[in-house]
Amino acid sequence: MAVPTIALYASPPSSVYSTPYSCQINSHASHDFDFNSRSSSSASTTTSSSQKPAVGGLSCLFSTQSVKHASSSSSFSSGTEDLGSLWHDRGEELSSSFRGSSLSSSLKRDQGHHSPMTVLQGPGSSNGSGGIGACSRSPSKRIGGDFYSSRSGSGGLFNGFVRHALGSCVDYDPVNLHLRDSDSAPPGLLDELTFNIDDGFGDSKLEPYAKDLLLDAQARHKIFHDDLVVKAFCEAENAHRGQMRASGDPYLQHCVETAVLLATIGANSTVVAAGLLHDTLDDTFVTYNYISLSFGAGVADLVEGVSKLSHLSKLARENDTANKIVEADRLHTMFLAMADARAVLIKLADRLHNMMTLDSLPMIKQQRFAKETLEIFAPLANRLGISTWKEQLENLCFKYLNPVQHKELTSKLVTSFDEAMVTSAVEKLERALKDESISYHSLSGRHKSLYSIHRKMSKKKLNMDEIHDIHGLRIIVENEEDCYKAATVVHQLWPEVPGKFKDYILHPKFNGYQSLHTVVTREGMVPLEVQIRTKEMHLQAEFGFAAHWRYKEGDCKHSSFVLQMVEWARWVITWHCEAMSKDQPSISHSDSIKPPCKFPSHSEDCPFSCIPECGADGPVYVIMIENDKMSVQELAAHSTVMDLLEKAGRGSSRWIPYGFPVKEELRPRLNHSPIIDPTCKLKMGDVIELTPAIPDKSLTEYREEIQRMYDRGPNVATSTTMAGLRS
Ligand SMILES: Nc1nc2c(ncn2[C@@H]2O[C@H](COP(=O)(O)OP(=O)(O)OP(=O)(O)O)[C@@H](O)[C@H]2O)c(=O)[nH]1
Ligand SMILES: Nc1ncnc2c1ncn2[C@@H]1O[C@H](COP(=O)(O)OP(=O)(O)OP(=O)(O)O)[C@@H](O)[C@H]1O
């Protein structure tokens, strides 16, 4: 039985379903948000399907299964169409009127509350529904001599890797997806919520716009019927009531779209609920404790993790950290290491929707966000293996950073891109492989993203005709022998482009990458790249030393700690996705799903145990703020505040523990609190402010006075200075 495929897109699932062989250029409605606006939320909203976020990039996936359901009609929209719009990132773009609430949100937390436990250090919860399935186009019937079930037995975990590795799509079991659109939903379903909100979850009635939002979300994904998720929806509605985006849309809409993006990649109810609540700590009066009591610590920790990431991201953006390669790189690692990897997922979904709604912001802000997204968030999505998000983020950044080139390339691609060609190539190859009794694990096709084409053209100084892999197929077979047999079949079907056959099986690349590559020409002389590999080679190509994210990051020389951290985060995300789908009857996971091993060592039977360990004593990255300038500092494991001060050239006698300034106002601050014990150990993601907060930035004389005072030594705060500071 063929399994329909949902691409890992932010597009409405229904559209992907109805046209599984979908390939779209972004086409977004425009949404903005004005943080200062607190008019009545009953204002202007309904989420018509035209308002749903659409695909953020020019990119598509094809599959043997997709093909079976493919509609010949093209969903590839006009190339000159405006590719994306949208905006806002609330937690990161706090206007002055929101600083108060942000501050109060940090103050109102429990003093005793600790940072969220990272799943990188231990198993996290992953209950709930939601589903994720194999991305690969696994044949579901016997082809040749073997039957490869992608969804059973020990293959389950492997398939989890593969689907992320193929990186581009997630299958849902159609029986369980319960994806509803207005055409297919049973009569009356969309008119009524599945429970009485007033009785169950809210202490106030949902306004009509909110009810519409919920119904719309429920029509797009079954997880929005889950009690926890509905409860989170009501809570988010209550908390954000009256808050509007600049477009006039209710703020709640952004929360819902973020949650839909998460649901679309198979996130479970805990993550989707946290996605709905992701801005409540920063922008509303909701507290950590309240979320924890109402939704459990799992959701509260995730929301807090996202909030922390948002603050760091804002700091980084204000300091243009994305421009500094080393610091940007440390930020990636810090983001992955300091929070549950799922919090990073939520942050990515939040950013993706904000990028989709960027249009109404002033150009300068659009560019600032796009720059940061390109340097920080797209690489994070890449490292986590969520390639469709990465592609959408990159395409949107490209649009805002290079509008002219973006438009030019888009219109060129409209004429050169041949959607039907890839569909029929997949079909044709599938038939030919079957005729030759060559069994394969998966057969997938993809269209290179707009930004990836642009980057390749600029990097290699090529014109578009010289890019051979705009259309590509990938076959994953069982063994080496089948790789060569499949290559022969490919060459029998289509003429080979001379000099383009590469045998990386016989001659692996230095990083261990193995695969057969060939480029053939299809009718009309359109080149088609075909990659053929075994599943072991594929694992290596996606998770091992030859991992695609490293390949794409090119020259970056990562420390083993960074490499391990990324691999760990990918592993955790994959594990969660596997665990999430365990409730799907079609998947037998009993022997494949185990909690993630404890960071950083793997159990013997863990498929990741082959990764060499580099010990838990990796570096610690912290944010140091001095005179309003932020930097990301790398320190050895177990470093203390004192070590940082010394590194910053502040290690003079005045900073020795007993010499710390008596006045709290003059002490350096750790995560906003004056440091009491300078020998305390630093944690990944800690924020240390070396200079005290100055009430008014224009008061440079106070800053200078403080500097002089530090230079004179400890405990000498003059009464005039302190009085001045307090005034
Ligand atoms: N994961 C991974 N993929 C790789 C690696 N090297 C190549 N690939 C994949 O193989 C494709 C083609 O690689 P090559 O055949 O070496 O092509 P090339 O020499 O770079 O030239 P082009 O075909 O123009 O890109 C790339 O676009 C990647 O998708 C690697 O080290 N790791
Ligand atoms: N021929 C192919 N068939 C299927 N998937 C592919 C093929 N080539 C690359 N991919 C996958 O498509 C995604 C996007 O890759 P992208 O086109 O950006 O880069 P690339 O082709 O791997 O590298 P480069 O741009 O350097 O040639 C990645 O997940 C990659 O593994």
Side-chain angles (χ1 to χ4, degrees):
M1 185 194 75
V3 180
T5 300
I6 284 194
L8 250 179
Y9 281 147
S11 51
S14 54
S15 73
V16 179
Y17 250 73
S18 56
T19 315
Y21 177 39
S22 77
C23 182
Q24 304 177 23
I25 295 183
N26 312 341
S27 167
H28 305 298
S30 171
H31 309 287
D32 325 355
F33 178 76
D34 175 357
F35 291 112
N36 295 321
S37 170
R38 281 175 171 270
S39 58
S40 161
S41 59
S42 60
S44 60
T45 298
T46 52
T47 32
S48 67
S49 54
S50 65
Q51 286 176 300
K52 291 169 189 170
V55 177
L58 179 64
S59 166
C60 34
L61 294 160
F62 312 91
S63 75
T64 54
Q65 286 134 321
S66 298
V67 167
K68 284 171 183 147
H69 296 263
S71 135
S72 56
S73 70
S74 168
S75 59
F76 194 68
S77 51
S78 152
T80 45
E81 198 175 339
D82 186 18
L83 303 196
S85 23
L86 338 181
W87 181 255
H88 208 99
D89 196 343
R90 189 176 184 81
E92 299 177 337
E93 182 66 357
L94 301 176
S95 66
S96 53
S97 67
F98 270 82
R99 281 186 190 279
S101 79
S102 175
L103 181 64
S104 66
S105 95
S106 60
L107 291 176
K108 71 199 168 190
R109 312 244 178 101
D110 277 4
Q111 293 300 313
H113 174 67
H114 301 294
S115 338
M117 188 191 89
T118 163
V119 287
L120 299 176
Q121 288 160 354
S125 69
S126 98
N127 56 343
S129 49
I132 195 166
C135 156
S136 50
R137 317 280 51 87
S138 314
S140 47
K141 54 182 182 267
R142 203 177 169 91
I143 294 180
D146 301 309
F147 176 76
Y148 299 120
S149 164
S150 65
R151 293 189 155 182
S152 62
S154 58
L157 203 50
F158 163 73
N159 288 309
F161 295 142
V162 169
R163 78 181 61 117
H164 284 283
L166 289 177
S168 322
C169 56
V170 176
D171 288 348
Y172 287 90
D173 181 340
V175 179
N176 291 291
L177 181 65
H178 295 196
L179 193 64
R180 293 161 178 148
D181 56 31
S182 44
D183 296 335
S184 58
L189 180 72
L190 294 180
D191 301 330
E192 266 177 9
L193 300 177
T194 48
F195 65 97
N196 184 343
I197 291 167
D198 300 333
D199 293 346
F201 299 113
D203 57 358
S204 60
K205 273 186 190 291
L206 276 186
E207 294 190 36
Y209 86 92
K211 195 171 169 183
D212 284 346
L213 279 177
L214 181 56
L215 287 169
D216 182 72
Q218 290 178 333
R220 290 155 76 186
H221 201 284
K222 71 162 185 175
I223 205 160
F224 288 92
H225 290 274
D226 182 290
D227 283 355
L228 186 78
V229 173
V230 176
K231 187 176 167 187
F233 176 91
C234 294
E235 198 56 63
E237 193 277 326
N238 202 25
H240 290 291
R241 194 171 296 167
Q243 297 177 355
M244 312 294 286
R245 285 165 76 96
S247 61
D249 291 331
Y251 194 75
L252 181 64
Q253 193 164 335
H254 165 67
C255 308
V256 172
E257 295 302 343
T258 301
V260 169
L261 284 171
L262 291 161
T264 307
I265 66 161
N268 67 6
S269 54
T270 305
V271 176
V272 173
L276 283 163
L277 296 168
H278 77 272
D279 273 329
T280 51
L281 283 185
D282 285 333
D283 297 342
T284 77
F285 293 106
V286 169
T287 62
Y288 172 88
N289 263 358
Y290 180 78
I291 301 179
S292 186
L293 281 174
S294 315
F295 296 92
V299 174
D301 284 349
L302 283 176
V303 176
E304 195 181 48
V306 179
S307 165
K308 208 167 172 188
L309 292 173
S310 298
H311 287 293
L312 286 190
S313 153
K314 183 168 185 273
L315 265 179
R317 199 167 52 250
E318 284 170 350
N319 284 272
D320 210 9
T321 306
N323 251 358
K324 301 162 203 153
I325 294 169
V326 174
E327 302 218 354
D329 204 51
R330 286 177 186 168
L331 270 184
H332 298 145
T333 311
M334 184 196 283
F335 279 15
L336 289 179
M338 61 181 264
D340 185 322
R342 293 169 304 161
V344 180
L345 270 193
I346 299 171
K347 186 69 215 155
L348 284 173
D350 165 62
R351 177 53 66 98
L352 179 54
H353 182 248
N354 282 335
M355 285 303 297
M356 289 169 166
T357 44
L358 201 58
D359 260 0
S360 322
L361 285 195
M363 201 167 82
I364 184 129
K365 279 193 174 182
Q366 289 176 346
Q367 300 222 330
R368 212 151 46 113
F369 276 97
K371 216 158 96 184
E372 189 210 19
T373 302
L374 195 60
E375 299 299 333
I376 308 288
F377 290 100
L380 269 177
N382 187 36
R383 288 174 174 205
L384 289 179
I386 309 168
S387 60
T388 50
W389 283 9
K390 174 208 155 217
E391 285 176 7
Q392 290 177 71
L393 289 169
E394 285 177 343
N395 288 343
L396 286 162
C397 294
F398 180 36
K399 177 189 153 184
Y400 288 101
L401 294 174
N402 305 82
V404 177
Q405 283 168 296
H406 179 269
K407 204 167 171 189
E408 245 175 57
L409 193 56
T410 303
S411 45
K412 275 192 201 158
L413 276 170
V414 166
T415 48
S416 74
F417 174 68
D418 187 351
E419 179 187 357
M421 185 273 271
V422 183
T423 317
S424 65
V426 171
E427 279 177 329
K428 196 168 169 180
L429 185 52
E430 189 191 22
R431 274 196 306 272
L433 291 169
K434 195 175 169 188
D435 288 347
E436 296 296 322
S437 300
I438 300 171
S439 48
Y440 60 90
H441 201 81
S442 79
L443 168 53
S444 62
R446 74 97 176 81
H447 175 239
K448 200 172 186 69
S449 79
L450 192 69
Y451 181 73
S452 187
I453 294 171
H454 160 75
R455 191 174 39 200
K456 193 160 180 169
M457 285 166 66
S458 1
K459 203 169 151 193
K460 298 196 169 183
K461 310 249 174 310
L462 301 172
N463 62 43
M464 220 170 68
D465 298 339
E466 295 167 304
I467 308 278
H468 299 287
D469 66 338
I470 291 182
H471 309 104
L473 304 186
R474 185 178 285 161
I475 316 166
I476 299 178
V477 294
E478 191 58 10
N479 54 47
E480 262 186 47
E481 197 188 338
D482 285 346
C483 289
Y484 292 100
K485 281 189 194 163
T488 307
V489 169
V490 170
H491 291 146
Q492 280 163 358
L493 284 179
W494 302 292
E496 190 182 338
V497 174
K500 281 301 205 180
F501 180 75
K502 291 180 191 160
D503 187 344
Y504 291 122
I505 295 182
L506 206 58
H507 308 286
K509 289 178 64 168
F510 280 131
N511 61 10
Y513 177 77
Q514 287 190 292
S515 192
L516 295 181
H517 294 174
T518 185
V519 179
V520 293
T521 37
R522 294 264 303 151
E523 298 74 26
M525 298 305 283
V526 183
L528 175 70
E529 183 197 64
V530 185
Q531 300 178 348
I532 308 164
R533 47 178 85 153
T534 65
K535 55 185 183 179
E536 288 75 21
M537 293 171 194
H538 188 61
L539 279 179
Q540 171 70 1
E542 294 301 330
F543 293 92
F545 291 111
H548 194 260
W549 72 270
R550 290 195 214 177
Y551 165 75
K552 292 303 269 187
E553 286 191 11
D555 308 330
C556 292
K557 303 267 177 290
H558 296 292
S559 71
S560 58
F561 173 77
V562 171
L563 297 176
Q564 192 174 18
M565 184 53 72
V566 173
E567 272 147 14
W568 194 263
R570 285 177 67 111
W571 154 240
V572 169
I573 292 276
T574 306
W575 179 83
H576 275 290
C577 288
E578 282 289 329
M580 283 170 205
S581 49
K582 70 180 183 298
D583 61 329
Q584 298 203 1
S586 61
I587 306 173
S588 154
H589 281 307
S590 50
D591 57 346
S592 64
I593 292 297
K594 296 188 178 76
C597 321
K598 222 168 169 294
F599 185 81
S601 49
H602 295 266
S603 63
E604 262 176 33
D605 57 343
C606 171
F608 267 59
S609 57
C610 55
I611 293 176
E613 287 171 20
C614 60
D617 288 350
V620 176
Y621 297 131
V622 298
I623 305 279
M624 184 174 92
I625 302 172
E626 190 171 24
N627 295 329
D628 291 334
K629 287 270 167 291
M630 163 200 164
S631 60
V632 188
Q633 297 287 329
E634 180 177 318
L635 294 150
H638 315 297
S639 291
T640 63
V641 169
M642 206 57 211
D643 295 326
L644 177 71
L645 295 174
E646 267 165 25
K647 190 173 177 195
R650 296 296 189 83
S652 64
S653 57
R654 67 193 162 80
W655 287 113
I656 56 174
Y658 51 84
F660 247 52
V662 176
K663 300 284 181 195
E664 275 200 353
E665 295 93 322
L666 296 178
R667 284 191 216 153
R669 295 161 83 81
L670 175 61
N671 301 327
H672 309 303
S673 306
I675 293 169
I676 295 162
D677 175 13
T679 61
C680 70
K681 279 193 188 157
L682 290 168
K683 293 189 308 307
M684 190 70 99
D686 277 345
V687 179
I688 294 105
E689 296 157 80
L690 290 190
T691 38
I694 304 288
D696 180 338
K697 282 187 187 172
S698 67
L699 298 178
T700 43
E701 66 268 31
Y702 287 113
R703 198 191 305 281
E704 286 160 13
E705 171 65 19
I706 287 165
Q707 193 61 51
R708 278 197 294 280
M709 188 177 62
Y710 281 162
D711 293 342
R712 283 199 296 273
N715 309 334
V716 288
T718 63
S719 53
T720 39
T721 311
M722 295 316 300
L725 278 174
R726 283 192 201 101
S727 65

